[in-house]
Amino acid sequence: MAQTLETLKDALLERFGSRIASAQIALGELTIEVRSKDWLEVAKVLQADETFSFESLIDLCGIDYSQYGLSEWAGQESASRQGYSRGVRPMTSGRLKFGDEVEPSSGLRPRFAVIVHLLSYRHNIRLRVRIPCDDDQQPRVPSVTTVWSGSNWFEREAFDLFGILFDGHPDLRRILTDYGFVGHPFRKDFPLIGHVEVRYDPELQRVVYEPVSIEPRVLVPRVIRKDNRYVELNGNNGK
């Protein structure tokens, strides 16, 4: 029986071998990475085998690594007393307009992945599974609705927001965005301002869609400054 993260990790590696690309314990959680082609079979074992007994899928989401590690803003160390250092080169989607291309990530990993969080009531233990999508242009992984029925709406949400396809899903369609919505709003190359805006036209007496009119901008971040406003004087907090 897997009672701790270490014993669970050992049991997983022994049971699945090379089908687990990596297994890491960090911040009190165990994360394994499973190849897309192996995910459905691994999921069936995780759910049914008494050694694991992950009866519940508590969360499933997508992730886009296209701007992983990139930032337009300098960190706390470079903040000055005279003001904020403003980003001058758009590296992230904060200032993208329709048709702009986002700067890619390092390319060390696939752009898209599916993250699954599992819970075993029998062993009172949790597991995170990362499933990288092999194709950046058409990301897809097997659906696990036949293993955990509760994944149905989670997979639809990941499809809607990230454009990840789930092979074998019984009803894969958008769940949060409007009918006829173009694009996937959680992708890093989707502008924060969106593509279109809506308004009511009194002459046409209906809602009309128009190209978005607002300008994209990056907001000034909050920076903790280490200057004399926060220096303790004589042990009385500067008073």
Side-chain angles (χ1 to χ4, degrees):
M1 293 179 63
Q3 298 293 337
T4 67
L5 293 180
E6 288 290 350
T7 55
L8 174 59
K9 176 182 176 181
D10 294 340
L12 289 167
L13 292 174
E14 180 180 357
R15 178 64 175 82
F16 297 109
S18 61
R19 284 187 287 180
I20 294 183
S22 67
Q24 181 181 12
I25 297 176
L27 303 176
E29 296 179 314
L30 171 60
T31 302
I32 64 172
E33 186 169 296
V34 178
R35 290 174 298 183
S36 176
K37 65 178 183 179
D38 297 326
W39 168 226
L40 182 57
E41 292 305 315
V42 170
K44 291 177 180 178
V45 176
L46 291 176
Q47 191 272 344
D49 193 314
E50 292 185 359
T51 304
F52 310 112
S53 294
F54 286 103
E55 304 97 338
S56 178
L57 183 149
I58 58 178
D59 187 33
L60 181 150
C61 66
I63 189 169
D64 182 356
Y65 287 108
S66 66
Q67 296 175 356
Y68 186 76
L70 300 179
S71 174
E72 294 194 35
W73 297 98
Q76 177 176 327
E77 292 81 5
S78 61
S80 67
R81 300 184 185 183
Q82 287 74 34
Y84 295 103
S85 297
R86 294 181 177 272
V88 294
R89 179 178 176 222
M91 298 175 64
T92 61
S93 56
R95 285 180 282 174
L96 284 178
K97 297 181 180 179
F98 181 70
D100 291 346
E101 293 187 4
V102 67
E103 183 171 330
S105 59
S106 62
L108 298 178
R109 68 175 77 201
R111 175 177 175 180
F112 296 101
V114 172
I115 309 297
V116 177
H117 289 188
L118 303 175
L119 172 63
S120 170
Y121 300 113
R122 179 191 295 264
H123 304 301
N124 189 28
I125 201 165
R126 298 172 186 264
L127 175 67
R128 178 191 291 115
V129 185
R130 180 187 295 111
I131 307 100
C133 301
D134 296 330
D135 189 347
D136 289 351
Q137 300 303 316
Q138 194 176 55
R140 60 195 319 131
V141 299
S143 171
V144 289
T145 52
T146 57
V147 182
W148 297 285
S149 59
S151 67
N152 189 314
W153 281 17
F154 287 125
E155 292 180 352
R156 284 181 58 187
E157 184 180 84
F159 162 70
D160 190 358
L161 300 181
F162 290 93
I164 299 174
L165 301 172
F166 291 86
D167 294 332
H169 191 285
D171 186 23
L172 192 62
R173 55 192 170 95
R174 293 186 183 271
I175 192 172
L176 294 176
T177 55
D178 196 5
Y179 297 105
F181 190 89
V182 177
H184 303 282
F186 275 17
R187 288 191 174 191
K188 296 296 180 62
D189 54 4
F190 190 90
L192 295 180
I193 59 173
H195 296 320
V196 297
E197 60 187 25
V198 298
R199 66 176 179 85
Y200 179 77
D201 190 314
E203 295 182 359
L204 298 176
Q205 296 186 354
R206 64 179 176 84
V207 171
V208 295
Y209 290 78
E210 297 175 333
V212 64
S213 60
I214 60 176
E215 286 294 323
R217 63 194 178 100
V218 176
L219 299 178
V220 176
R222 178 178 295 176
V223 177
I224 300 176
R225 301 187 180 189
K226 296 180 180 179
D227 59 27
N228 56 6
R229 289 174 294 174
Y230 308 105
V231 175
E232 294 186 6
L233 299 178
N234 301 323
N236 59 1
N237 295 325
K239 298 180 180 178

